[in-house]
Amino acid sequence: MTVQVLTQVQETQSPSAQKEPLPLFAGDRLSRAEFERRYQAQSEIKKAELIEGVVYMPSPVKHKRHGNPHLYLGGWITTYLASTPNIDGSDNATVRLDNQNEPQPDLLLRIDRAQGGRSFISSDDYIEGAPELIIEIAGTSASYDMHDKKLVYARNGVREYLVVLTYEQTIRWFVLRQGEYEELQPDAAGVLRSECFPGLWLNSKAFWQNDLAGMLATLQEGLATAEHSAFVAGLGEKMDRP
């Protein structure tokens, strides 16, 4: 009888003990499902990522090294969105790439799967699949943004990857070709042009001079091109199809 009572107590205690998620720590090695369970249970954590099954939790954000460039780039892609119907963008949204990778990019642009893109919005409001463009703001080329993340994004089919290295004052813009990233080169004026999103032009010189007006003026030149008009028209045709 004593053994039976003890067994019953253990059985009733075990499920309740498992309901309380363990804390989330940097360096943890988790599946995507367990990462999400712990992350969602800790509302005080504002940013955490799972890269190759390892948890990363960035340090507090500095103004000049992250907050200000993030704001400028956000204004830049928001202006592009305003002139390019039928595409989508996000800021610090979680992206489910595969079972070992769930990043939270600083910024992104995407074409929905229904319009020929590779991503969609899940029933619980997460991005599933690879966005067309991911933007990350990093300190230096030694950061994981330029190594593990870059490999993960290429493997999962992120067509373009833009990394801003704030200490080195360098912008690296990669395009996916035959499964590997090749770097886009700026023109003589320092302007980088997206291949995936026609008209998305970035004036790198204006960016490093904190010249937001100059950045947006260059973008308006891109938005006025025939390539951008054709891109918008093509997206509209896809939306009209049954």
Side-chain angles (χ1 to χ4, degrees):
M1 292 293 293
T2 304
V3 173
Q4 291 178 346
V5 171
L6 286 173
T7 302
Q8 290 173 353
V9 170
Q10 288 172 349
E11 289 176 350
T12 55
Q13 286 179 344
S14 180
S16 61
Q18 294 175 359
K19 287 181 181 178
E20 187 69 27
L22 293 170
L24 188 66
F25 295 107
D28 284 348
R29 293 183 176 273
L30 305 171
S31 67
R32 195 183 79 185
E34 181 62 17
F35 168 74
E36 284 190 9
R37 196 171 76 94
R38 297 189 191 189
Y39 193 2
Q40 291 170 359
Q42 292 180 259
S43 59
E44 71 277 9
I45 298 176
K46 302 306 178 187
K47 184 163 185 173
E49 300 181 299
L50 187 70
I51 305 297
E52 300 290 59
V54 179
V55 175
Y56 288 84
M57 298 170 66
S59 57
V61 172
K62 294 183 178 180
H63 169 63
K64 290 183 179 179
R65 299 299 182 188
H66 195 107
N68 187 248
H70 189 136
L71 180 68
Y72 276 35
L73 290 168
W76 172 66
I77 66 165
T78 300
T79 302
Y80 185 80
L81 280 166
S83 298
T84 315
N86 302 321
I87 66 171
D88 189 24
S90 203
D91 182 320
N92 267 304
T94 292
V95 179
R96 291 169 171 160
L97 289 176
D98 58 42
N99 193 48
Q100 296 296 312
N101 292 282
E102 189 167 303
Q104 193 173 327
D106 289 312
L107 297 159
L108 63 86
L109 285 176
R110 56 179 290 273
I111 301 170
D112 197 77
R113 191 168 64 179
Q115 297 164 250
R118 299 195 58 182
S119 63
F120 64 97
I121 305 302
S122 67
S123 59
D124 54 351
D125 199 29
Y126 287 101
I127 297 171
E128 299 260 6
E132 277 60 42
L133 170 65
I134 281 181
I135 301 172
E136 299 279 18
I137 300 163
T140 72
S141 56
S143 72
Y144 74 121
D145 297 274
M146 285 292 290
H147 296 277
D148 292 349
K149 265 193 190 179
K150 184 182 170 189
L151 292 172
V152 166
Y153 289 158
R155 188 172 71 237
N156 280 277
V158 176
R159 291 176 60 188
E160 293 189 0
Y161 181 36
L162 191 162
V163 188
V164 175
L165 304 172
T166 56
Y167 279 91
E168 298 169 11
Q169 293 208 343
T170 302
I171 296 174
R172 309 283 300 275
W173 196 329
F174 302 95
V175 59
L176 192 65
R177 297 193 178 108
Q178 296 182 339
E180 294 186 0
Y181 279 134
E182 295 182 15
E183 189 167 355
L184 294 176
Q185 298 300 319
D187 63 16
V191 176
L192 290 154
R193 295 173 170 85
S194 172
E195 294 183 2
C196 184
F197 292 101
L200 185 63
W201 294 6
L202 177 59
N203 188 325
S204 59
K205 292 182 179 179
F207 176 80
W208 293 118
Q209 292 168 357
N210 292 323
D211 181 7
L212 181 58
M215 286 176 59
L216 296 182
T218 298
L219 176 58
Q220 291 298 332
E221 292 178 25
L223 293 172
T225 61
E227 291 80 6
H228 179 259
S229 296
F231 178 60
V232 171
L235 290 171
E237 290 175 1
K238 290 177 182 177
M239 286 294 291
D240 292 338
R241 291 173 189 166

